[in-house]
């Protein structure tokens, strides 16, 4: 955009006239499984490959999805000058969401931090125990949003080592669906991954823009 | 009653074990759950202890177990008929 003040001279980068909308499709898989790209040709660890022991779970009918980070910040305050800098450390990244698909309980138990579900094929029942929280369970998170179906352009957020944290609540309104809200997937730094992507990575694929 | 020797007794048991193991089929659970079910034919109770666990199953029960599917799919994803068991 032409500015009466004049644009910056020299090397200038502009952002693209493309926008993302809607929530990503969210998948989780036990941290013990390897990501599909482990790593890819550029050294990035991402993607999921479900196995019998460690299936990939899709979180059904999600809403109110936000992705945020938590940092510790401390100002460098010099009494004779004022704040000269701010020291920052990334603590974690976090998805917050609401899930509206309650079944199967074998998937929901992961979200609600329940125990191992027992399915009785003869009775036709699923039984989900709610006991103490297992703090040793970690998950990979794979969040995908295809922003151009015709060309297959997409954005992926991959987080290596996450836990379901915080207290959930289930709204049970009359005449409306149940909603499992305040579901938080908190991603920690994974020391087994390269330092530059220890929390995860964001990957964009768009051949028409980025291809050669 | 005729008295049996020790060797005769062992021979008989060996044959029984062999016949049993050859005729059984091994099914692996494909769902993330503890799965209990009673065989419709034999009435035998089976308990799989989680995804990937394998149990020997009487062949009379196996066919029915292998025909069990759960239908999954939500929010635009393709619906899948996921088999409860896979024979290994």
């Amino acid at each position: 955009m032409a500015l009466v003040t004049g644009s910056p001279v020299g090397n200038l980068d502009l952002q693209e006239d493309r926008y993302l909308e809607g929530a990503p499709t969210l998948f989780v898989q036990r941290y013990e499984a390897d990501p599909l790209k482990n790593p890819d040709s550029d050294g990035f660890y991402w993607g999921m490959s479900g196995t019998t022991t460690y299936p990939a779970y899709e979180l059904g009918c999600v809403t109110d999805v936000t992705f945020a980070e938590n940092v510790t910040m401390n100002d460098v305050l010099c009494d004779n000058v004022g704040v000269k800098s701010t020291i920052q450390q990334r603590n974690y990244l976090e998805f917050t969401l609401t899930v509206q698909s309650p079944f199967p309980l074998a998937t929901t138990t992961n979200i609600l931090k329940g125990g191992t579900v027992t399915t009785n094929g003869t009775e036709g029942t699923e039984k989900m125990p709610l006991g103490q929280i297992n703090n040793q369970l970690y998950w990979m998170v794979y969040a995908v949003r295809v922003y151009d179906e015709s060309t297959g352009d997409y954005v992926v957020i991959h987080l290596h080592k996450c836990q379901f944290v915080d207290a959930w609540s289930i709204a049970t309104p009359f005449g409306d669906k149940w909603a499992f809200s305040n579901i938080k997937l908190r991603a920690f730094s994974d020391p087994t991954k390269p330092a530059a992507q220890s929390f995860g990575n964001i990957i964009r694929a768009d051949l028409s823009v980025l291809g050669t | 009653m005729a008295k049996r020797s020790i060797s005769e007794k062992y021979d008989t048991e060996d044959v029984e074990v062999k016949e049993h193991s050859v005729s059984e089929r091994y099914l692996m659970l494909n769902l993330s759950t503890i799965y209990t079910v009673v065989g419709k034919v034999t009435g035998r109770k089976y308990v799989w202890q989680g995804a990937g666990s394998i149990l020997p199953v009487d062949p009379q029960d196996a066919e029915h177990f292998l025909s069990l599917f759960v239908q999954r799919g939500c929010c635009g994803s393709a619906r899948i008929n996921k088999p409860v068991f896979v024979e290994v």
Side-chain angles (χ1 to χ4, degrees):
Chain A
M1 181 177 165
L3 300 170
V4 293
T5 54
S7 295
V9 297
N11 188 8
L12 177 63
D13 261 336
L14 302 176
Q15 291 203 273
E16 295 173 29
D17 210 8
R18 280 168 216 274
Y19 306 96
L20 298 172
E21 62 79 34
T25 304
L26 282 152
F27 299 89
V28 297
Q29 185 183 25
R30 285 282 296 276
Y31 171 73
E32 287 80 355
D34 287 327
L36 177 64
K37 313 284 188 183
N38 190 36
D40 66 10
S41 58
D42 299 309
F44 280 77
Y45 294 75
W46 63 286
M48 271 185 191
S49 173
T51 66
T52 303
T53 310
Y54 301 121
Y57 299 95
E58 180 181 345
L59 304 187
C61 201
V62 295
T63 184
D64 297 333
V65 180
T66 58
F67 183 49
E69 73 168 348
N70 181 283
V71 296
T72 293
M73 292 196 300
N74 284 300
D75 292 337
V76 178
L77 174 63
C78 306
D79 282 349
N80 55 347
V81 177
V83 176
K84 289 188 67 181
S85 182
T86 300
I87 307 286
Q88 296 185 85
Q89 280 285 355
R90 175 170 287 135
N91 298 321
Y92 55 81
L93 303 171
E94 194 170 77
F95 269 110
T96 304
L97 58 137
T98 295
V99 176
Q100 299 171 111
S101 292
F103 303 127
L105 292 181
T107 297
T108 305
T109 191
N110 304 319
I111 300 166
L112 301 185
K113 303 183 287 285
T116 303
V117 166
T118 296
T119 304
N120 188 317
T122 306
E123 292 177 356
T125 56
E126 267 191 308
K127 298 162 187 174
M128 185 184 98
L130 284 168
Q132 286 298 325
I133 293 169
N134 181 352
N135 290 307
Q136 308 308 315
L137 279 185
Y138 293 93
W139 301 86
M140 273 193 296
V141 172
Y142 178 61
V144 191
R145 185 66 183 171
V146 178
Y147 63 85
D148 190 332
E149 293 280 357
S150 61
T151 53
D153 301 330
Y154 61 83
V155 170
V156 165
I157 300 172
H158 186 97
L159 305 173
H160 301 309
K161 192 174 187 180
C162 308
Q163 280 182 317
F164 285 97
V165 299
D166 213 346
W168 46 261
S169 65
I170 303 175
T172 60
F174 179 72
D176 203 352
K177 76 272 167 197
W178 284 22
F180 299 68
S181 57
N182 203 40
I183 306 298
K184 290 182 178 177
L185 268 164
R186 183 170 291 176
F188 309 102
S189 178
D190 180 358
T192 68
K193 299 295 186 295
Q197 52 175 304
S198 65
F199 288 90
N201 47 57
I202 299 179
I203 290 167
R204 173 197 183 190
D206 193 328
L207 196 62
S208 63
V209 175
L210 303 170
T212 54
Chain B
M1 192 173 92
K3 198 173 177 183
R4 295 171 60 196
S5 69
I6 290 176
S7 61
E8 277 177 332
K9 189 182 171 195
Y10 280 145
D11 286 343
T12 306
E13 284 184 353
D14 283 346
V15 169
E16 281 176 0
V17 169
K18 193 177 178 185
E19 282 179 350
H20 193 57
S21 61
V22 165
S23 62
E24 281 177 328
R25 296 169 72 176
Y26 289 80
L27 303 191
M28 180 170 72
L29 180 64
N30 205 24
L31 303 177
S32 296
T33 179
I34 295 169
Y35 195 91
T36 69
V37 67
V38 174
K40 279 190 171 176
V41 180
T42 64
R44 194 170 141 192
K45 185 180 182 184
Y46 301 91
V47 181
W48 280 264
Q49 291 297 332
S53 62
I54 298 169
L55 279 186
V57 172
D58 190 294
Q60 298 175 95
D61 295 325
E63 282 307 316
H64 173 63
F65 291 167
L66 287 168
S67 71
L68 297 175
F69 289 85
V70 288
Q71 195 177 67
R72 298 282 160 78
C74 169
C75 312
S77 298
R79 288 198 174 274
I80 57 168
N81 283 320
K82 186 174 179 174
V84 175
F85 297 104
V86 175
E87 187 163 14
V88 291

